[in-house]
């Protein structure tokens, strides 16, 4: 068990079903682009390790399974780290050809304005049955192409430079034909491009009276890039050019046939995708800090309406930042992986929103237990709650003689709802420092 009570207490919040909440509105906007898909919005977040990892083909040593990245309730039970945890069960229920699952997901991670240990994802999937095709005297590929023709057309610029199938980088599965996968990939890509067009058209019309969005006149540009997920092949990510950068919006691919076979539907083939709802809501509404989604302040909540057109969020105030540093020595042990040459990710930020491996510091702080930056993040959350905006590694140093390693983290204390006094920040910082000693066994400098 490594799940703090502050995380458990987020479970009943159900932000993605609160009326007029920006996550609800974002979810409904996406759902509206998938007519006929069955929606699931109430699936409970406690799942088995089997559901979250094994059923999806995660290897036994995958970093995502580690206690530094995932909240365990006991050795066989976790808080789901992604909505894909429900794929196998939903395929098994076989209630509809397409489905959408929206839910809260939980990950131990860095602290900054776009990462919070609880966030929301939407999973989607669409499958077709080879026997249906046969009954209609068609190939499965023909059946799928008929459905591709029903997706609304768009005129945005899409870059898709890679072949659908690449023998090494993005292989075809043994039981699939290239014709089938070309058709399913086309349906996947066209469906998701349609979602992106809907979102960005809505974002374009979102403007406060005085200052329309800077990107209002920029034509929308999207691109497909090759990806890897244990539960799809071939796989892709969709990226959108937004405010000068390529932004990863979703992961997707052709569902591993073993998942469908194990779910008792071996004749079905199809695609799946997963996306982060906060990331999309943040750009739709120009919401600057992920903590705001958890706000119960009417100055936040009153700005969103499911029936009115989407308007940019107007920050109600910018309270002052308060930076405080903490430096400490890690306790070195003979098993320490660190020392000169081992580098901690300088930004201290691991990639979230994907099941990929996170950057980690692995010098031992406690004998027999590796130091991990996510432990520092969790202590900051536990002590400071919503009042911590950002925690980043600003310095690291290895003593040339002893080989001992020292880290310096900078904490930004800032409430979204009020001005913190310096005394209050000092008090929090002192508690944070003490907990680092008590829980991680570090030596303060
Ligand atoms: N579960 C993945 C994540 O959290 C996202 C994802 C990728 C879902 C590809 C999918 C998929 O269904 O096909 O990063």
């Amino acid at each position: 068990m490594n799940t703090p009570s502050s995380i458990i207490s987020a479970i009943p919040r159900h932000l993605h079903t609160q009326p007029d909440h920006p996550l609800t509105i974002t979810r409904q906007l996406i759902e509206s682009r998938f007519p006929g898909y069955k929606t699931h919005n109430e699936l409970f977040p406690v799942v088995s390790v089997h559901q979250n990892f094994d059923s999806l083909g995660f290897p036994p040593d995958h970093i995502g399974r580690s206690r530094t990245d995932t909240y365990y309730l006991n050795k066989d039970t976790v808080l789901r780290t992604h909505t894909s945890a429900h794929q196998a069960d939903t395929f098994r229920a076989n209630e509809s050809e397409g489905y959408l699952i929206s839910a809260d997901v939980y990950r131990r991670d860095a602290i900054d304005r776009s990462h919070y240990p609880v966030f929301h994802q939407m999973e989607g999937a669409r499958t077709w049955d080879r026997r249906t095709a046969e009954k209609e005297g068609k190939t499965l590929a023909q059946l799928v192409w008929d459905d591709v023709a029903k997706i609304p057309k768009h005129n945005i610029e899409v870059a898709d430079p890679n072949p659908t199938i690449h023998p090494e980088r993005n292989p075809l599965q043994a039981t699939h034909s290239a014709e089938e996968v070309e058709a399913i990939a086309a349906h996947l890509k066209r469906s998701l491009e349609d979602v992106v067009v809907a979102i960005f058209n809505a974002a374009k019309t979102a403007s406060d009276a005085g200052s329309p969005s800077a990107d209002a006149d920029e034509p929308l540009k999207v691109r497909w890039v090759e990806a890897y997920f244990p539960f799809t092949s071939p796989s892709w990510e969709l990226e959108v050019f937004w405010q000068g950068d390529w932004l990863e919006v979703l992961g997707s691919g052709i569902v591993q046939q073993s998942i469908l076979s194990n779910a008792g539907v071996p004749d079905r083939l199809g695609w799946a995708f997963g996306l982060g709802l906060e990331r999309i809501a943040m750009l739709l509404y120009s919401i600057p800090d992920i903590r705001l989604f958890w706000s119960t302040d009417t100055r936040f909540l009153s700005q969103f309406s499911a029936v009115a057109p989407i308007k940019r969020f107007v920050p109600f105030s910018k309270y002052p930042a308060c930076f405080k540093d903490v430096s400490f020595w890690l306790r070195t042990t003979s098993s320490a992986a660190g020392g000169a040459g081992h580098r901690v990710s300088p930004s201290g930020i691991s990639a979230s929103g994907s099941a990929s491996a996170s950057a980690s510091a692995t010098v031992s702080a406690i004998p027999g237990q590796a130091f991990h930056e996510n432990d520092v993040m969790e202590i900051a959350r536990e002590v400071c709650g919503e009042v911590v905006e950002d925690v980043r590694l600003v310095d690291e140093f290895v003593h040339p003689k002893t080989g001992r390693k020292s880290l310096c983290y900078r904490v930004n204390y800032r409430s979204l709802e009020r001005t913190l006094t310096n005394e209050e920040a000092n008090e929090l910082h002192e508690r944070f420092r003490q907990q680092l000693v008590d829980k991680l066994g570090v030596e303060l400098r």
Side-chain angles (χ1 to χ4, degrees), residues 158-164 166 169-170 188-189 193 222-229 232 234-240 246-253:
V158 180
D160 191 3
N162 298 299
T164 306
H166 186 282
R169 296 192 312 258
N170 230 351
L188 159 70
K189 289 176 179 178
E193 288 160 13
V222 305
R223 70 178 183 196
W224 289 99
V225 299
E226 292 175 336
Y228 173 80
F229 302 100
T232 50
S235 311
W236 305 277
E237 280 166 0
L238 179 59
E239 298 184 340
V240 176
W246 286 102
L247 181 78
E248 180 200 320
V249 174
L250 57 87
S252 65

Side-chain angles (χ1 to χ4, degrees), residues 82 84 87 107 121 123 229 231-232 251-253 272-274 353-355:
H82 55 175
S84 305
Q87 265 195 23
R107 290 185 198 175
Q121 285 189 330
E123 186 88 7
F229 302 100
F231 34 93
T232 50
S252 65
F273 75 87
S354 79

Side-chain angles (χ1 to χ4, degrees), residues 17-18 65-66 107 129 135 154 156 180 183 191 199 205 217 289 304 308 320-321 376 378-379 390 416 429:
T17 60
Q18 295 309 306
R65 294 180 184 254
S66 71
R107 290 185 198 175
D129 195 318
K135 261 185 239 144
H154 64 67
I156 59 163
E180 287 169 335
S191 301
I199 291 166
T205 56
D217 304 323
D289 190 308
F304 307 95
V376 174
E378 184 159 291
I379 291 170
D390 197 282
L416 293 167
H429 197 59

Side-chain angles (χ1 to χ4, degrees), residues 2 170 366:
N2 63 346
N170 230 351
I366 295 172

Side-chain angles (χ1 to χ4, degrees), residues 228-432:
Y228 173 80
F229 302 100
F231 34 93
T232 50
S233 190
S235 311
W236 305 277
E237 280 166 0
L238 179 59
E239 298 184 340
V240 176
F241 197 72
W242 179 251
Q243 299 184 340
D245 281 314
W246 286 102
L247 181 78
E248 180 200 320
V249 174
L250 57 87
S252 65
I254 308 298
V255 179
Q256 282 288 354
Q257 205 56 39
S258 56
I259 299 174
L260 292 158
S261 300
N262 293 340
V265 286
D267 294 312
R268 302 199 73 89
L269 270 70
W271 55 251
F273 75 87
L275 56 78
L277 285 171
E278 274 85 350
R279 174 171 274 194
I280 290 176
M282 285 172 90
L283 62 87
L284 194 50
Y285 288 100
S286 306
I287 293 173
D289 190 308
I290 196 166
R291 289 176 293 167
L292 282 162
F293 291 104
W294 299 87
S295 177
T296 53
D297 193 316
T298 54
R299 290 174 297 175
F300 176 73
L301 293 173
S302 67
Q303 294 198 32
F304 307 95
S305 160
V307 289
I310 287 173
K311 284 203 320 284
R312 299 182 80 195
F313 170 66
V314 183
F316 33 89
S317 184
K318 205 165 183 174
Y319 299 98
C322 178
F323 293 98
K324 298 198 182 287
D325 289 357
V326 55
S327 299
F328 51 82
W329 293 106
L330 299 181
R331 198 186 293 166
T332 45
T333 68
S334 54
S335 65
H342 180 82
R343 273 188 53 80
V344 176
S345 144
S347 67
I349 294 167
S350 59
S352 190
S354 79
S356 59
S358 59
S360 59
T362 53
V363 182
S364 288
I366 295 172
Q369 190 188 319
F371 170 83
H372 196 291
E373 184 161 280
N374 285 349
D375 296 330
V376 174
M377 301 295 165
E378 184 159 291
I379 291 170
R381 293 260 183 231
E382 282 296 277
V383 172
C384 313
E386 316 290 277
V387 161
V388 55
E389 176 165 308
D390 197 282
V391 178
R392 59 179 68 237
L393 184 66
V394 288
D395 194 31
E396 61 180 315
F397 168 74
V398 177
H399 193 284
K401 290 236 173 69
T402 63
R404 275 183 105 191
K405 184 166 197 159
S406 155
L407 302 177
C408 176
Y409 282 92
R410 181 161 298 161
V411 183
N412 180 5
Y413 294 93
R414 187 202 320 246
S415 165
L416 293 167
E417 291 165 1
R418 63 198 171 84
T419 299
L420 292 183
T421 64
N422 198 43
E423 291 70 53
E424 206 176 338
N426 277 336
E427 207 176 293
L428 290 171
H429 197 59
E430 201 38 58
R431 290 226 302 277
F432 176 49

Side-chain angles (χ1 to χ4, degrees), residues 122-138:
M122 183 190 285
E123 186 88 7
R126 173 74 162 94
T127 59
W128 292 264
D129 195 318
R130 280 198 179 118
R131 292 170 310 181
T132 311
E134 209 175 310
K135 261 185 239 144
E136 293 184 20
K138 291 178 181 168

